[in-house]
Every structure is written in C-alpha cells, then in structure tokens.
Amino acid sequence: MLAPEAHLTLPANPIACHECDLLQTEPRLAPGETARCLRCGAMLARNPPDSLDRSLALTLTAAVLYIIANIYPLVGLVMQGRQVEVTLIEAVQILWKGGVEPVAALVFITALLFPILELLMFLLVLVPLRLGRVSPRLATFFRVVRSVQPWGMVEVFLLGMLVSLVKLSHLATVLLGPAFWATACLIVVLTLAARAFDTRLLWQSPIMDGA
C-alpha cells in the first residue's frame, strides 16, 4: 500500500504528439508538472498532484451526492395552497404510469442507471490502484468506464427539467428540492474526479521516492 507521504513519479516513455504527430520522449514528470510538444507546444501529458487520493475522494463524494439526489425531493410545485414534491424515482414511476414508457425508461437509464454504474466502475479502478495493485486488466476495465460515461447524461436531464419548470412557473410556484442541488453538484464533482485522475497510472507501475 502506498504511504500517504509517497509521491508518484511517472517514468519517461516515447509519445507521439496528438496535434503534429512528432515522436518524442516524454520527460519524467514530478507531481504537478506537465509535458508539452517540442514542435507545436501542445500538452502531451500531465501528472496531477495526489491524483489517486483526489480522484478517490471526489468519487466517494459523488457517491454521497448520488444517494442524496435519489432520496430527497427533486422538485416541488405549490398550486392553490397545495404543495406536491417528487423524487427522481417517483418521477420515473409517474412517467411510466402516464403512458410514456419510452421517456420513463430513458430517464431511468441516463439519470439513474448509468451514473451509478460509472461510480461503481470508477471505484473498482481507483481502490486497487490506491492499494498499490497494478493490473493490466484495470486498463481494459477503465475503457469500459469511459464508454459508459457518455450515456450518463445527468446534465441533459437537469437542463430539460429546468426548461419545463420555467414554462410551469406562471401556473405554480416552483420549489427546487435538495436533490436538485445534489444532482447539480454531482455533475461538477464527477467532472473534477475525471480531470484529477491520470490514466497513465493504469499501465505504469508506481515508483516511490527514494526507492
């Protein structure tokens, strides 16, 4: 297991620039450093500081936000003194019972199923790496994670819901529930977790300073 004070230093490898195709040797990157192409200046690689710890912490935070987003009310409407609140799963059930099964299935898959699959698979990649277990199979598994990510269109669902709520605002008072804000934060945290993770750690063995 990696010690908390250990730093990952990525070894040099041949790399081709994705902009000009120049083949060059990637320098050894210390935490926080980046490598740029000698010809065009495009960024070739970066070594985010504390990549594993940050990614794992953000992913766990996203998991908590996902639970909140599915337990608490997503949105509420106040009309003629009556207040109605609905959770995300209740919204799916209402759509299904209302005869729009394809829409209900689409909301369930994109806003409920794929986000939790992405979180679980991300954890299955990060936890072994954090424990110092580097396996070639992790790289293949992470490709599956990447293929799932485009289908977790929570932001599209949230935007569509906002448009609908704006149209309803002249008929009733709209109340945004805790789940709405948790979902908005979930989108941001998942983006930060993906950005903090250095995918090269999947196929390069970690080297500890002083080893």
Side-chain angles (χ1 to χ4, degrees):
M1 181 175 178
L2 297 178
E5 65 274 9
H7 297 286
L8 292 174
T9 302
L10 301 180
N13 284 308
I15 188 172
C17 176
H18 57 84
E19 295 290 340
C20 66
D21 292 329
L22 177 65
L23 186 63
Q24 52 205 298
T25 301
E26 175 189 336
R28 184 180 295 272
L29 298 177
E33 292 185 342
T34 59
R36 294 189 175 274
C37 177
L38 297 174
R39 177 189 290 166
C40 67
M43 188 172 70
L44 300 176
R46 61 188 182 91
N47 187 9
D50 302 322
S51 175
L52 285 177
D53 290 338
R54 289 188 180 187
S55 300
L56 186 57
L58 288 169
T59 303
L60 292 174
T61 302
V64 174
L65 291 171
Y66 179 86
I67 295 174
I68 296 174
N70 287 277
I71 291 179
Y72 290 93
L74 182 66
V75 67
L77 294 175
V78 179
M79 181 183 297
Q80 297 179 352
R82 294 185 58 190
Q83 180 174 337
V84 179
E85 293 180 330
V86 63
T87 63
L88 183 55
I89 190 63
E90 288 174 344
V92 173
Q93 293 173 350
I94 292 172
L95 289 172
W96 186 272
K97 293 178 181 178
V100 283
E101 290 87 354
V103 177
L106 184 63
V107 172
F108 174 78
I109 292 173
T110 59
L112 285 170
L113 180 60
F114 279 107
I116 188 61
L117 288 178
E118 180 182 351
L119 283 171
L120 290 176
M121 288 190 293
F122 211 8
L123 286 174
L124 288 175
V125 170
L126 290 173
V127 171
L129 284 175
R130 186 62 187 87
L131 296 176
R133 300 171 184 172
V134 181
S135 170
R137 290 177 294 181
L138 287 180
T140 303
F141 190 75
F142 191 72
R143 292 189 185 99
V144 178
V145 178
R146 290 299 193 187
S147 66
V148 168
Q149 282 181 328
W151 294 96
M153 298 180 290
V154 182
E155 62 277 6
V156 177
F157 166 75
L158 209 61
L159 181 60
M161 189 184 69
L162 280 175
V163 173
S164 301
L165 292 176
V166 170
K167 294 182 178 180
L168 290 173
S169 60
H170 68 285
L171 299 176
T173 302
V174 177
L175 303 175
L176 300 179
F180 176 88
W181 302 111
T183 304
C185 293
L186 174 63
I187 297 171
V188 176
V189 172
L190 280 177
T191 303
L192 293 175
R195 180 174 176 79
F197 181 61
D198 191 343
T199 57
R200 295 174 304 165
L201 297 176
L202 291 172
W203 58 83
Q204 291 180 331
S205 300
I207 300 176
M208 297 184 62
D209 291 345

